[in-house]
Amino acid sequence: MRIHILTTGGTIEKVYVEQHGAVANLEDKIERYLGRLRLPDTEIDTTRLMNKDSLEMTDEDRALILEAVRARLDAPIVITHGTDTMVETGLYLKRSLGELKFPIILTGAMTPLGFESSDGLQNLTESFLAARIAAPGIYVVMHNHVFPVDRVKKDRERAQFVSLD
Amino acid sequence: MRIHILTTGGTIEKVYVEQHGAVANLEDKIERYLGRLRLPDTEIDTTRLMNKDSLEMTDEDRALILEAVRARLDAPIVITHGTDTMVETGLYLKRSLGELKFPIILTGAMTPLGFESSDGLQNLTESFLAARIAAPGIYVVMHNHVFPVDRVKKDRERAQFVSLD
Amino acid sequence: MRIHILTTGGTIEKVYVEQHGAVANLEDKIERYLGRLRLPDTEIDTTRLMNKDSLEMTDEDRALILEAVRARLDAPIVITHGTDTMVETGLYLKRSLGELKFPIILTGAMTPLGFESSDGLQNLTESFLAARIAAPGIYVVMHNHVFPVDRVKKDRERAQFVSLD
Amino acid sequence: MRIHILTTGGTIEKVYVEQHGAVANLEDKIERYLGRLRLPDTEIDTTRLMNKDSLEMTDEDRALILEAVRARLDAPIVITHGTDTMVETGLYLKRSLGELKFPIILTGAMTPLGFESSDGLQNLTESFLAARIAAPGIYVVMHNHVFPVDRVKKDRERAQFVSLD
């Protein structure tokens, strides 16, 4: 089975920059951490689209994501993305795409991959399982939840996503 | 949402014993590692049934597991178990139980939780997601796969489960 | 043998704050990470003096550190401290204290404890060994170096300390 | 500064073998874990001599270690070694070598590198610091202790080394 990954940056890929004492989107981290998962009989095909804080994503960036998704509708897709505008991107994809044959999963993290208490590897793990077994549709997958993208919002204070239902 | 966990031992819970230079089932490890996962809005209820290498499980042990499962059919169940007889226990549950309302997930690990390259936390993470979204039935969940228990076997040489299909 | 620890904050103790996407001195981390070291026959006695970025340390803060050091000259002392003004604090201690019977070690980290590629636990480990075997004096200990405090400066660009010799 | 490393196996380098559910000396691990330490201005030169449980070391193996040490007396040496016969090897080196110009450090671990609660990286970190600052001589370095090799023995029950003094 094949799963496409599109990486766009966000907290999940941030690194700590010692010279500035702050985190930033400077390196691609997804593939390095995927190497920690066992995914036998799964062909992973990773495309790095950009490496941005999602608050800085432009309309052009979202058009680029849409184009990349359209070219990969033959298999499930996992998109790693900043959490602040993850739902916005997901809704844009939903408006732009017709009926799907496979699930499209948006995921990210509240704390960068590799930092203590990071949720990044958990969310990647869950996203790959959801990519394999969820019904066609567009979802936000984090923290043991699979939210349809039109029924979810980020709760910044609690650092999690919550259902609109 | 509620998820029951039943722990029975197996490689996933083994610890390294310095005095003997070998691994053994001496401590309960599942709850400690579950503390590393973010499971908001999920009520986890853990029951430690035994802590055994699954090659040493007896008919009485399996009867005990069945009894514990029967008492918890009101919600999904995750059973942590040694991989050598995981399928045998799953098939016994399938023969003994009638129609299910929720999934029952068997999982474990090829390398103990906390050892380098361990697949334990990945398998637990996947099992909790499968417990939430899989159809009712009995499954082995490991390495990004959700196998119906009557269509899977362990491939010891490759250290993974493979489909009988 | 007894070793005193005085904690003052700095990068080594910073945590990632999910609501702000930035690191800050909010929690005491030293004792938690010391629990990962094996220190048999060593009595560790930890005192939390403050939890500050060292660029924000005041003269009063340094007077407090000096007072705490003066009260513990009966055994080696390890002081965890931000790297930006670590040398300044060390030189102040050197000017203020007379002859010593035990070493006083200043240490910290370029990346917080528990973040990927952190040097924090390495530096703590080295500091405890230097506390045990170095000659009386005041030192900066990091990255496999033991620098006398009057012969060292931070090289911010290379994220390390370098000898003035 | 230069530090020589000689690796010989022992628990510190053992890996978990999934097909057998046991640990064994099959891979060289020291260099991989040294990559986690920051050692600026230190030239590390690693030589893999063998990869054996130290209970299986022969007289020929010890002669090989002695020969390798003799060829590297121009700088400090760190020898990674199984704990069971570490003292025996150290005493043999002491009997065979004359006056030294640099320290020779024997180290190892009670739990393999990368396993939860491993003391391996702590012991390597301490050994490199001792290699830099200890007086010429032959030592066992572990758990924040620097033991002269003729005044130490392993306490198997407590999984540590203890002084003969």
Side-chain angles (χ1 to χ4, degrees):
Chain A
M1 185 188 183
R2 193 177 200 183
I3 299 176
H4 299 293
I5 312 178
L6 303 176
T7 73
T8 72
T11 294
I12 193 169
E13 291 207 270
K14 286 190 179 171
V15 293
Y16 185 76
V17 185
E18 301 193 333
Q19 285 72 22
H20 304 118
V23 297
N25 282 105
L26 294 176
E27 288 174 28
D28 297 298
K29 295 178 76 167
I30 300 294
E31 283 187 289
R32 183 153 51 90
Y33 280 88
L34 281 184
R36 300 195 182 181
L37 298 184
R38 302 199 192 189
L39 304 167
D41 307 317
T42 308
E43 185 192 343
I44 302 291
D45 142 57
T46 307
T47 305
R48 303 173 186 172
L49 292 180
M50 65 199 77
N51 199 344
K52 283 194 171 184
D53 188 305
S54 76
L55 290 172
E56 292 168 11
M57 269 194 189
T58 63
D59 289 351
E60 287 71 30
D61 292 328
R62 291 207 166 78
L64 186 68
I65 295 172
L66 174 60
E67 184 188 12
V69 166
R70 275 217 174 100
R72 289 166 180 80
L73 293 173
D74 61 317
I77 301 174
V78 172
I79 305 171
T80 59
H81 196 289
T83 57
D84 283 320
T85 69
M86 182 184 286
V87 172
E88 184 181 337
T89 297
L91 291 173
Y92 166 71
L93 292 177
K94 189 174 168 67
R95 283 193 307 271
S96 310
L97 296 167
E99 202 176 346
L100 298 171
K101 290 189 188 155
F102 296 96
I104 297 174
I105 311 292
L106 290 137
T107 196
M110 297 298 171
T111 285
L113 280 163
F115 287 26
E116 60 173 7
S117 304
S118 174
D119 52 336
L121 202 58
Q122 174 185 349
N123 294 336
L124 285 178
T125 303
E126 292 171 353
S127 294
F128 278 87
L129 197 76
R132 183 177 277 276
I133 69 173
I138 304 182
Y139 307 94
V140 168
V141 172
M142 291 185 78
H143 303 171
N144 192 38
H145 287 270
V146 179
F147 300 105
V149 73
D150 52 2
R151 303 215 298 276
V152 66
K153 65 170 185 177
K154 178 173 174 180
D155 180 330
R156 174 181 282 269
E157 211 40 58
R158 293 160 67 197
Q160 63 176 84
F161 283 81
V162 293
S163 178
L164 293 179
D165 296 339
Chain B
M1 184 187 184
R2 193 178 201 183
I3 299 177
H4 300 293
I5 312 178
L6 302 176
T7 73
T8 71
T11 294
I12 194 169
E13 292 206 270
K14 286 189 178 173
V15 294
Y16 184 76
V17 185
E18 302 192 334
Q19 284 72 22
H20 304 117
V23 297
N25 282 105
L26 293 175
E27 288 174 27
D28 297 298
K29 295 178 77 167
I30 300 295
E31 284 187 289
R32 183 153 51 89
Y33 280 88
L34 281 182
R36 299 194 182 181
L37 298 183
R38 302 199 193 189
L39 305 166
D41 308 316
T42 308
E43 184 192 343
I44 302 292
D45 141 57
T46 306
T47 304
R48 303 174 187 172
L49 292 181
M50 65 200 76
N51 199 344
K52 284 195 171 181
D53 188 306
S54 77
L55 290 172
E56 294 168 10
M57 270 195 188
T58 62
D59 289 350
E60 287 70 31
D61 292 327
R62 292 207 165 80
L64 186 69
I65 295 173
L66 174 61
E67 183 189 12
V69 166
R70 276 217 172 98
R72 289 166 180 81
L73 293 172
D74 61 317
I77 301 174
V78 172
I79 304 172
T80 60
H81 196 290
T83 56
D84 283 319
T85 68
M86 182 183 286
V87 172
E88 182 180 340
T89 299
L91 291 173
Y92 167 71
L93 292 176
K94 189 173 167 67
R95 282 193 308 271
S96 310
L97 296 166
E99 204 178 343
L100 298 171
K101 291 189 186 156
F102 296 95
I104 297 174
I105 311 292
L106 291 136
T107 196
M110 296 298 172
T111 286
L113 280 163
F115 287 27
E116 60 173 7
S117 305
S118 174
D119 53 336
L121 202 58
Q122 173 186 348
N123 294 336
L124 284 178
T125 303
E126 292 172 354
S127 294
F128 279 88
L129 198 76
R132 183 177 278 276
I133 69 173
I138 304 183
Y139 306 95
V140 167
V141 173
M142 290 185 79
H143 304 171
N144 192 38
H145 286 271
V146 178
F147 300 104
V149 73
D150 51 2
R151 304 216 297 276
V152 66
K153 65 170 184 177
K154 179 172 174 179
D155 180 330
R156 173 181 283 268
E157 211 41 58
R158 294 159 67 197
Q160 64 176 84
F161 282 82
V162 292
S163 179
L164 293 180
D165 296 341
Chain C
M1 185 188 184
R2 192 178 201 183
I3 299 176
H4 299 292
I5 311 177
L6 303 176
T7 73
T8 72
T11 294
I12 194 170
E13 291 207 90
K14 286 190 179 173
V15 293
Y16 184 77
V17 185
E18 301 193 334
Q19 284 73 22
H20 304 118
V23 297
N25 283 104
L26 293 175
E27 287 174 28
D28 296 299
K29 294 178 77 167
I30 301 295
E31 284 186 289
R32 183 153 52 89
Y33 280 88
L34 281 183
R36 299 195 183 181
L37 298 183
R38 302 200 191 189
L39 305 167
D41 307 316
T42 308
E43 184 192 344
I44 302 291
D45 142 58
T46 306
T47 305
R48 303 172 187 173
L49 292 180
M50 64 199 77
N51 198 345
K52 284 193 170 183
D53 188 306
S54 77
L55 291 172
E56 293 168 10
M57 269 193 188
T58 63
D59 288 352
E60 287 71 30
D61 292 328
R62 291 207 166 78
L64 186 69
I65 295 172
L66 174 60
E67 183 189 12
V69 166
R70 276 215 173 98
R72 289 166 180 81
L73 293 172
D74 61 318
I77 302 175
V78 173
I79 305 172
T80 60
H81 196 290
T83 57
D84 284 320
T85 69
M86 182 183 285
V87 172
E88 183 181 337
T89 298
L91 291 173
Y92 167 71
L93 292 176
K94 189 173 167 68
R95 284 192 306 272
S96 309
L97 296 166
E99 203 176 346
L100 298 172
K101 291 188 189 156
F102 295 96
I104 297 175
I105 311 292
L106 290 137
T107 197
M110 297 298 172
T111 286
L113 279 164
F115 288 26
E116 59 173 9
S117 305
S118 174
D119 53 335
L121 202 58
Q122 175 186 347
N123 294 336
L124 285 178
T125 302
E126 291 171 354
S127 294
F128 279 87
L129 197 76
R132 183 177 278 275
I133 69 173
I138 304 183
Y139 306 94
V140 168
V141 173
M142 291 185 78
H143 303 173
N144 192 37
H145 287 271
V146 178
F147 300 105
V149 72
D150 52 2
R151 303 216 297 276
V152 66
K153 65 169 184 177
K154 178 173 174 179
D155 180 330
R156 173 182 283 268
E157 211 42 56
R158 293 160 67 196
Q160 64 176 85
F161 283 82
V162 293
S163 178
L164 293 180
D165 296 339
Chain D
M1 185 189 184
R2 193 177 201 186
I3 298 177
H4 299 293
I5 311 178
L6 302 176
T7 71
T8 71
T11 294
I12 192 169
E13 292 207 268
K14 286 189 178 172
V15 293
Y16 185 75
V17 185
E18 301 193 334
Q19 284 72 22
H20 304 118
V23 298
N25 282 105
L26 293 175
E27 289 174 27
D28 296 299
K29 294 178 77 167
I30 300 295
E31 284 187 289
R32 183 153 51 90
Y33 280 88
L34 281 183
R36 300 195 181 180
L37 298 183
R38 302 199 192 190
L39 304 167
D41 307 317
T42 309
E43 185 192 343
I44 301 292
D45 142 58
T46 306
T47 304
R48 303 173 186 171
L49 292 181
M50 65 200 77
N51 198 345
K52 284 195 172 183
D53 187 307
S54 76
L55 290 172
E56 294 168 10
M57 270 194 188
T58 62
D59 288 351
E60 288 70 31
D61 292 327
R62 290 206 166 80
L64 186 69
I65 296 173
L66 174 61
E67 182 189 13
V69 166
R70 276 217 174 99
R72 289 166 180 79
L73 293 172
D74 61 319
I77 302 174
V78 173
I79 304 172
T80 60
H81 196 291
T83 57
D84 283 321
T85 68
M86 182 184 285
V87 172
E88 183 181 338
T89 298
L91 291 173
Y92 167 71
L93 293 176
K94 190 173 167 67
R95 283 193 307 270
S96 310
L97 296 166
E99 203 176 345
L100 298 171
K101 291 188 187 157
F102 295 96
I104 297 174
I105 311 292
L106 290 137
T107 196
M110 297 298 172
T111 286
L113 280 163
F115 287 25
E116 60 174 8
S117 304
S118 174
D119 53 336
L121 202 58
Q122 173 185 347
N123 294 336
L124 284 178
T125 302
E126 292 171 354
S127 294
F128 279 87
L129 198 75
R132 185 177 277 276
I133 69 174
I138 304 182
Y139 306 94
V140 168
V141 173
M142 291 184 79
H143 304 170
N144 192 38
H145 287 270
V146 179
F147 299 105
V149 72
D150 52 1
R151 302 216 298 277
V152 66
K153 64 169 184 177
K154 179 173 174 180
D155 180 330
R156 173 181 282 269
E157 210 42 57
R158 293 160 66 197
Q160 64 176 83
F161 282 81
V162 294
S163 179
L164 292 181
D165 295 340

